[in-house]
């Protein structure tokens, strides 16, 4: 049931995201457990104050630096990510000139095709937008050149078995740096083991993906993607040594501090 949410509602963004998941499930493009995954995310987001924390911002800055210096970056998306942040990630891919690959835990050809067709239509919408501030190339061409992969996998993620290991050589297969929102722990581990830099976006700081990643952004995917775009377009300073455990500890301490608000 679609309910009109007034602009004044303090949790409008969160309720609209929930509706996107409901609609995606009705269309059959999301995993049956998509709502459970979303609910877990919402619970953590609530405890994190439903905003990008300072430590998440540091992780986004680090992610931007690594994606910019990567030789072959790629953005991997699953069902939830496409419906929540498809357009945001197309903007990021256009600026990085990198492909987006649909890579699913619960893979079926129907879901892959359905998600690719949403991304194709998102690409058309994004191409019609004004180019983001700081981007000095031709916007329409940059957006149109974003390759959407995943339909015809011709490679496998080393160390994984089954349909979730299937990938495209020109995307996840040969990338050196991968942005993987809402990732599954085994795949994250396998990607790290195969020598790739793995940038995870996950609201749960204690998930196996969060703990195993090279850079963990503990933030909501659509919020994080907007900030990531700005960071990629800015002249960020070089990073020093990256301590990923520190951002995880800081996210946990934000959650612990939320108890002091009452
Ligand atoms: O589309 P598929 O087949 O690849 O399946 C995707 C899901 C997400 C259903 C599947 O990967 C899954 O079951 O994921 P998990 O194991 O529930 O993990 C999802 C993680 O993402 C959890 O740690 C959540 O806290 C986190 N999360 C959920 N929503 C968001 C989020 N993190 C960032 N932004 C969100 N919007």
């Amino acid at each position: 049931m679609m309910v009109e949410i007034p602009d004044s509602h303090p949790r409008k963004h969160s309720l609209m995201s929930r509706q996107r998941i409901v609609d995606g499930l009705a269309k059959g493009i999301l995993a049956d457990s998509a709502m459970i995954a979303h609910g877990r995310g919402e619970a953590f987001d609530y405890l994190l104050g439903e905003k990008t924390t300072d430590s998440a911002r540091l992780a986004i800055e680090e992610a931007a630096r690594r994606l910019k210096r990567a030789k072959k970056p790629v953005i991997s998306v699953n069902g939830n990510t496409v419906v929540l942040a498809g357009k945001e990630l197309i903007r990021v891919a256009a600026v990085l000139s990198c492909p987006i690959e649909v890579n699913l835990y619960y893979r079926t050809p129907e879901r892959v095709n359905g998600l690719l067709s949403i991304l194709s239509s998102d690409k058309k919408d994004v191409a019609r937008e004004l180019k983001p501030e700081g981007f000095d190339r031709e916007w329409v061409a940059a957006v149109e050149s974003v390759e959407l992969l995943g339909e015809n996998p011709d490679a496998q993620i080393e160390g994984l078995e089954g349909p979730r290991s299937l990938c495209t050589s020109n995307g996840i297969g040969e990338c050196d740096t991968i942005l993987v929102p809402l990732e599954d722990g085994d795949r994250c581990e396998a990607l790290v083991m195969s020598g790739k830099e793995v940038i995870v976006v996950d609201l749960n700081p204690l998930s196996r993906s969060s703990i195993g990643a090279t850079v963990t952004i503990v933030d909501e995917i659509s919020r994080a993607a907007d900030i990531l775009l700005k960071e990629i377009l800015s002249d960020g300073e070089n990073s020093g040594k990256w301590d990923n455990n520190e951002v995880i500890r800081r996210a946990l301490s934000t959650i612990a501090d939320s108890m002091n608000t009452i």
Side-chain angles (χ1 to χ4, degrees):
M1 188 178 59
M2 184 67 198
V3 177
E4 189 66 33
I5 308 162
D7 286 343
S8 59
H9 196 295
R11 304 197 56 254
K12 179 164 181 161
H13 182 79
S14 169
L15 293 173
M16 285 179 59
S17 297
R18 193 180 286 182
Q19 189 62 45
R20 286 204 187 102
I21 298 285
V22 171
D23 295 344
L25 274 166
K27 283 187 204 143
I29 51 166
L30 295 185
D32 291 343
S33 56
M35 187 76 86
I36 297 173
H38 189 72
R40 289 164 75 189
E42 271 194 354
F44 282 105
D45 204 18
Y46 213 84
L47 294 171
L48 288 159
E50 293 182 304
K51 61 176 195 290
T52 302
T53 61
D54 290 346
S55 60
R57 199 170 277 275
L58 284 180
I60 294 172
E61 287 168 11
E62 181 67 17
R65 281 190 283 268
R66 288 179 188 243
L67 286 164
K68 275 203 280 192
R69 73 170 183 234
K71 288 198 174 68
K72 277 198 107 181
V74 69
I75 300 175
S76 170
V77 291
N78 60 15
N80 289 43
T81 302
V82 170
V83 303
L84 294 175
K87 287 190 182 139
E88 287 82 349
L89 290 172
I90 284 169
R91 292 183 201 111
V92 171
V95 166
L96 288 171
S97 306
C98 80
I100 296 185
E101 178 160 351
V102 172
N103 188 238
L104 303 181
Y105 189 84
Y106 302 102
R107 186 185 178 97
T108 64
E110 294 76 22
R111 285 192 59 215
V112 173
N113 289 332
L115 292 165
L116 285 169
S117 99
I118 292 183
L119 287 170
S120 296
S121 128
D122 283 348
K123 253 175 80 169
K124 290 189 186 118
D125 293 343
V126 171
R128 282 193 285 271
E129 295 172 351
L130 289 177
K131 67 177 168 186
E133 206 174 312
F135 186 70
D136 53 14
R137 288 181 284 129
E138 219 267 301
W139 183 239
V140 177
V143 176
E144 280 175 356
S145 68
V146 172
E147 252 190 298
L148 300 177
L149 307 172
E151 192 180 3
N152 301 306
D154 59 351
Q156 246 184 313
I157 300 173
E158 249 174 82
L160 268 189
E161 283 173 2
R164 71 196 167 131
S165 69
L166 297 175
C167 69
T168 311
S169 48
N170 194 30
I172 293 175
E174 285 167 11
C175 74
D176 57 356
T177 304
I178 177 165
L179 175 69
V180 272
L182 285 70
E183 180 56 343
D184 106 70
D186 285 353
R187 196 162 44 200
C188 176
E189 245 165 51
L191 289 166
V192 171
M193 287 301 284
S194 65
K196 300 178 192 303
E197 295 209 337
V198 180
I199 300 164
V200 155
V201 185
D202 192 328
L203 281 158
N204 176 1
L206 288 175
S207 74
R208 279 198 301 133
S209 308
S210 287
I211 288 172
T214 319
V215 177
T216 303
I217 300 170
V218 182
D219 198 6
E220 197 282 321
I221 178 58
S222 60
R223 234 171 23 226
D226 279 342
I227 303 174
L228 181 63
L229 178 71
K230 290 198 182 90
E231 283 302 325
I232 291 169
L233 288 164
S234 77
D235 297 322
E237 288 161 28
N238 281 335
S239 63
K241 205 167 165 297
W242 178 247
D243 182 355
N244 202 50
N245 288 338
E246 178 59 19
V247 287
I248 293 174
R249 276 193 290 271
R250 284 182 62 180
L252 288 170
S253 117
T254 303
I255 291 175
D257 287 349
S258 69
M259 280 190 280
N260 298 328
T261 57
I262 48 158

